[in-house]
Structures are given as structure tokens and as C-alpha cells.
Amino acid sequence: MRTVLALDLKDDPALIAEYEQHHQRIWPEIAAHLRRQGVTGMEIHRLGTRMVMVMVMETDDAVFDAAAMAAASERDPKVQAWEALMWRFQAATPWTPAGEKWVPMTRIFDLSAQEDGKD
């Protein structure tokens, strides 16, 4: 399954540069945690000076369970330390419910769902 999520970054070039540096090589424990939860791929994108970020997450439906991942994340001190560090750089979007960070985006177009158009 593919999930697309959004989050803002704080509007501070130094913080953005530091955030990107942290993502050049995330902590090995964080990568291992994601894989254990059934996350098979993850990308984070940023556009120029826009502070909104988009995360595309691929998961194995046979393994991934969002609630189980959230619970495992809460119990893991290393994940909690990573999340606290990342929150220094991140900000909730105007549409983010209180107490949440990454929020799902709504897909409005899928080319694979379109008819071929050939006559």
C-alpha cells in the first residue's frame, strides 16, 4: 500500500538544512524500526522554499498495521528520541489535528485509473 502524508517545516533555512542533513543517514535503529513495522519504502520530498513536506510510504499489507506501529513507536526510547529531535524542525500544518504530526493527503488523481483514450 502507498500512503502519502504531509507535514510542515519551520521557516528557518538553518533548521531546514540541519533537518535535511539528519536525513542523509537516519539512525540505524529508526530504519530497523520502520522495516520491522512493514514499511518497505519511504521518501520525503520538499519543494523549494515551501515548508510543506510530503512523505510517500510503501508498506507490506501482510505486516503493516498503523496502530501497531504507533504503539511500537511509543514503547521504543530510540524512536521517541528521534521524534523529539525531528520536532525541533517540524511544524503542524494548518489542517493537522491537535496532537498529531504527519497527516494523510487526499489523492485526487491516479493515471492508472484513467482510460487509455485510444480510438
Side-chain angles (χ1 to χ4, degrees):
M1 172 174 33
R2 177 181 296 147
T3 305
V4 180
L5 304 156
L7 176 74
D8 279 346
L9 283 177
K10 293 179 180 171
D11 190 4
D12 180 320
L15 286 178
I16 291 169
E18 188 177 345
Y19 183 81
E20 289 183 355
Q21 183 63 35
H22 279 293
H23 284 83
Q24 294 303 305
R25 188 113 175 113
I26 66 171
W27 298 349
E29 299 90 347
I30 302 308
H33 169 77
L34 292 168
R35 290 184 181 110
R36 277 194 309 272
Q37 301 306 314
V39 177
T40 59
M42 181 180 284
E43 299 176 359
I44 299 175
H45 300 264
R46 182 175 67 82
L47 176 62
T49 59
R50 295 285 309 191
M51 296 307 110
V52 69
M53 294 189 309
V54 175
M55 176 169 52
V56 180
M57 185 170 68
E58 301 280 344
T59 56
D60 178 346
D61 289 343
V63 179
F64 182 77
D65 177 299
M69 181 174 171
S73 296
E74 287 291 324
R75 292 189 305 270
D76 188 319
K78 198 69 170 186
V79 172
Q80 290 303 301
W82 175 261
E83 289 298 329
L85 175 62
M86 292 302 103
W87 196 239
R88 286 185 48 229
F89 313 103
Q90 299 167 335
T93 73
W95 306 276
T96 303
E100 294 186 28
K101 290 175 72 170
W102 290 97
V103 292
M105 297 181 74
T106 302
R107 180 173 62 187
I108 62 168
F109 175 78
D110 181 355
L111 179 61
S112 67
Q114 302 298 308
E115 298 205 17
D116 191 347
K118 292 182 182 177
D119 293 332

